[in-house]
Amino acid sequence: MKRIPKQDYTAEFKEQAVKRADEVGSIGRVAEELGLVEQTLRNWVKAAKAGKLNPAGAKQITAEQMELSRLRAQVARLEMELEITKKAAAYFAKDLL
């Protein structure tokens, strides 16, 4: 099974996501709205409470890099889904023959 590549997010995006989670009160709902893994957002909230969400030495990520990372992850997910679908189709076709 293929691994989905790790995504990089801008500091502003992380801050906005944490702020939105605090406003809504549900990390799961906000993660779903933003297309994040719930545990990722949970880690950001935990880091924000500890004051370590965006360390000073962290590299800056441009919006283009973030978009490229998101698209790569989406391609990986879609390829994985296609692989599963092909295997399922072959399995069911074998039963029909």
Side-chain angles (χ1 to χ4, degrees):
M1 182 155 51
K2 275 189 174 177
R3 255 189 84 164
I4 296 173
K6 182 180 176 183
Q7 295 186 32
D8 291 323
Y9 299 97
T10 62
E12 295 82 19
F13 180 79
K14 290 180 183 181
E15 290 171 5
Q16 292 294 329
V18 169
K19 197 178 298 183
R20 176 86 174 123
D22 289 339
E23 291 171 0
V24 172
S26 171
I27 292 175
R29 186 179 307 145
V30 174
E32 186 176 335
E33 285 175 9
L34 299 175
L36 295 169
V37 176
E38 186 175 342
Q39 188 60 46
T40 300
L41 183 55
R42 193 175 308 282
N43 291 342
W44 292 351
V45 170
K46 184 178 177 182
K49 287 181 181 176
K52 299 178 181 179
L53 181 60
N54 296 312
K59 66 177 182 174
Q60 296 297 321
I61 298 167
T62 66
E64 291 84 17
Q65 289 172 328
M66 189 171 85
E67 179 71 7
L68 182 61
S69 177
R70 186 188 67 77
L71 292 172
R72 283 182 178 155
Q74 184 178 6
V75 166
R77 276 192 299 272
L78 292 173
E79 286 176 346
M80 191 182 329
E81 289 174 9
L82 180 61
E83 183 179 325
I84 291 168
T85 305
K86 284 180 181 178
K87 288 180 182 179
Y91 176 79
F92 289 117
K94 192 183 317 178
D95 288 345
L96 293 175
L97 298 176

